[in-house]
């Protein structure tokens, strides 16, 4: 896919919505392909681990060509830190063996800002932001992963409708709705990591890690 995009000459930018890397060990999820190498070979946790994994991905000549050809507008998802991450933890993080989550999250953030074409905006490394293309469109890049996300629940839990649970966090939510209210652009585009449209089987959500797990806030945003 990177190769095909790099061959084009009619694009303004590449929007990358996260999972730029995966954190798993050799043989782990996304790392089990017979011709795929992983460096380091263990699950990445430390700052050196994250730095090395990014440098290893960047050895891919198609990815090098794409970064050379086009600017990237990036946002992180979960695998830049750990699977199904939220503000206080992750499914693929065990504090008894892998240390404090805040330390790992800080390591992953630091490596991200070192390797990706994105500006830091303060000590808290907030990455939700707006790009304006004249009066044609405003592009809002959201952090639906670790900025304000409450821990995931099961898809069948009644908590998916809990008005006290948030995917964006109140600060980011208020920023987004204020921006949308004041926008005079023809288009308002939201760039984010997880599916907003419902995805159900027999009326039951199948993935509470996306907006289906935060139904109340989704309805509030869509109503706005």
């Amino acid at each position: 896919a990177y190769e095909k995009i790099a061959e084009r000459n009619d694009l303004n930018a590449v929007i990358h919505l996260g999972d730029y890397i995966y954190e798993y060990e050799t043989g782990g999820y996304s790392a089990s392909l017979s011709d795929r190498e992983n460096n380091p070979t263990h699950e990445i946790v430390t700052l050196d681990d994250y730095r090395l994994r990014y440098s290893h991905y960047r050895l891919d000549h198609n990815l090098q060509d794409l970064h050379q050809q086009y600017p990237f507008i990036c946002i992180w998802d979960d695998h830049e830190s750990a699977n199904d991450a939220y503000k206080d933890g992750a499914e693929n993080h065990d504090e008894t063996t892998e240390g404090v989550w805040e330390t790992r999250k800080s390591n992953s953030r630091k490596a991200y800002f070192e390797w990706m074409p994105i500006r830091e905006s303060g000590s808290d490394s907030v990455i939700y932001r707006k790009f304006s293309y004249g009066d044609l469109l405003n592009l809002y890049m959201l952090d639906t992963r670790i900025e304000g996300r409450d821990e995931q629940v099961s898809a069948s839990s009644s908590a998916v409708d809990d008005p006290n649970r948030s995917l964006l966090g109140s600060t980011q939510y208020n920023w987004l709705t204020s921006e949308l209210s004041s926008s005079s652009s023809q288009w308002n585009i939201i760039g984010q990591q997880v599916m907003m449209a419902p995805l159900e089987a027999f009326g039951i959500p199948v993935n509470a890690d996306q907006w289906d797990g935060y139904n109340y806030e989704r309805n509030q945003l869509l109503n706005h």
Side-chain angles (χ1 to χ4, degrees), residues 13 55 58 70 77 80 90 97 104 108 113 126 139 145 154 158 172 178 203-204:
S55 70
R58 288 290 182 87
Y70 294 112
D77 196 13
E80 284 87 350
T97 59
R104 183 176 186 179
S108 67
F113 281 105
V126 169
L139 170 62
R145 181 50 63 185
S154 69
S158 61
Q172 183 177 200
S178 176
I204 300 174

Side-chain angles (χ1 to χ4, degrees), residues 6-209:
E7 289 173 353
R8 298 178 58 156
N9 61 3
D10 59 343
L11 306 178
N12 294 107
V14 173
I15 298 175
H16 198 294
L17 299 176
D19 292 349
Y20 188 91
I21 63 169
Y22 279 78
E23 82 279 15
Y24 288 98
E25 73 284 357
T26 298
Y29 182 75
S30 88
S32 57
L33 299 178
S34 60
D35 58 346
R36 177 166 289 179
E37 300 176 1
N38 288 269
N39 194 3
T41 57
H42 56 267
E43 182 181 334
I44 56 175
V45 177
T46 69
L47 179 56
D48 285 344
D49 288 343
Y50 282 102
R51 285 168 166 166
L52 185 56
R53 186 62 59 89
Y54 276 102
S55 70
H56 184 67
Y57 269 64
R58 288 290 182 87
L59 293 176
D60 185 299
H61 65 89
N62 292 320
L63 182 56
Q64 291 176 8
D65 290 346
L66 187 55
H67 274 288
Q68 179 180 355
Q69 184 79 0
Y70 294 112
F72 271 56
I73 300 175
C74 301
I75 204 84
W76 57 46
D77 196 13
D78 52 344
H79 293 289
E80 284 87 350
S81 53
N83 182 55
D84 285 0
Y86 57 99
K87 62 183 179 181
D88 297 320
E91 179 276 331
N92 192 28
H93 181 75
D94 184 351
E95 291 206 340
T96 61
T97 59
E98 296 174 322
V100 177
W101 167 246
E102 286 298 323
T103 300
R104 183 176 186 179
K105 184 167 67 172
S106 176
N107 292 338
S108 67
R109 279 175 159 172
K110 182 171 178 57
Y112 187 85
F113 281 105
E114 289 176 351
W115 278 94
M116 300 299 287
I118 180 174
R119 295 183 180 93
E120 290 190 73
S121 58
S123 59
D124 55 356
S125 300
V126 169
I127 62 169
Y128 61 86
R129 62 208 190 281
K130 178 180 73 173
F131 293 85
S132 295
Y133 283 75
D135 59 2
L136 177 64
L137 69 89
N138 283 333
L139 170 62
Y140 302 99
M141 298 293 285
L142 303 184
D143 182 357
T144 61
R145 181 50 63 185
I146 57 177
E147 170 65 27
R149 178 194 278 259
D150 290 315
E151 185 175 6
Q152 298 89 335
V153 297
S154 69
S156 59
S157 171
S158 61
V160 298
D161 297 315
D162 186 344
N164 296 312
R165 296 183 68 250
S166 177
L167 188 64
L168 298 176
S170 59
T171 301
Q172 183 177 200
Y173 179 90
N174 291 334
W175 168 81
L176 176 61
T177 53
S178 176
E179 287 284 347
L180 292 172
S181 293
S182 62
S183 174
S184 58
S185 294
Q186 180 174 348
W187 297 97
N188 293 303
I189 309 297
I190 294 177
Q192 46 139 19
Q193 302 88 334
V194 292
M195 187 184 296
M196 178 166 277
L199 179 63
E200 300 178 345
F202 305 104
I204 300 174
V206 299
N207 182 5
D209 184 59

